[in-house]
Amino acid sequence: MTVYRIDGEGVGGIADLFAAFNREFMRDEDWQMGESLDALDDVLHRLEGETRGGDPAVVIWEAHRHSREALGYEETQRWLLRKLAHPSAYDEARIMSDLDDLRSGTGRTYFHRVIAVFADHPLVDLQLR
């Protein structure tokens, strides 16, 4: 079983989160994943493919509460607004809807979006501590 550790205390935003993911998930690679939930999904597929004997890869996310706060409303709003600055690259209507949901309190934060990506990978055991 492979164990990865994410230091949530060091996460102050999306860039810090992906730096932590790259340190752990990409340590044997000669490339780094970008700050993208799609890239995280791809890397988690790779981790699932590397599991042996049905033992899941284990990701221990220490101090996840700190990360949850850092990746909360403000950071999520900044992320969505950055996407809106490039309307030809993203579905503007969907981003506006996500932003409206966030502002009304019903939308998912970036932290919750990351958790959802992990949830799609049953052979990666995410442990929030």
Side-chain angles (χ1 to χ4, degrees), residues 1-5 24-25 27-28 46-48 50-52 55-60 123-127:
M1 167 177 34
T2 305
V3 177
Y4 301 93
R5 294 187 180 278
E24 285 299 301
F25 304 151
R27 56 184 155 198
D28 296 328
R46 190 196 83 220
L47 296 183
E48 283 184 312
E50 293 173 355
T51 62
R52 301 290 182 253
D55 291 331
V58 175
V59 177
I60 299 171
L123 294 178
V124 178
D125 178 18
L126 176 62
Q127 298 177 11

Side-chain angles (χ1 to χ4, degrees), residues 8-80:
E9 287 289 335
V11 174
I14 294 169
D16 297 331
L17 177 66
F18 278 89
F21 285 162
N22 277 314
R23 276 191 299 279
E24 285 299 301
F25 304 151
M26 308 302 288
R27 56 184 155 198
D28 296 328
E29 300 293 331
D30 60 358
W31 59 280
Q32 300 284 287
M33 79 172 117
E35 296 173 14
S36 159
L37 294 172
D38 289 336
L40 175 61
D41 186 58
D42 290 344
V43 168
L44 294 179
H45 276 296
R46 190 196 83 220
L47 296 183
E48 283 184 312
E50 293 173 355
T51 62
R52 301 290 182 253
D55 291 331
V58 175
V59 177
I60 299 171
W61 192 334
E62 302 284 353
H64 79 280
R65 286 178 184 88
H66 177 82
S67 300
R68 181 175 37 210
E69 185 175 318
L71 301 169
Y73 177 88
E74 293 297 328
E75 184 71 354
T76 305
Q77 181 172 252
R78 279 191 291 275
W79 173 69
L80 291 169

Side-chain angles (χ1 to χ4, degrees), residues 41 44-45 48 113-124:
D41 186 58
L44 294 179
H45 276 296
E48 283 184 312
R113 290 168 187 267
V114 169
I115 298 303
V117 173
F118 274 93
D120 287 338
H121 296 276
L123 294 178
V124 178

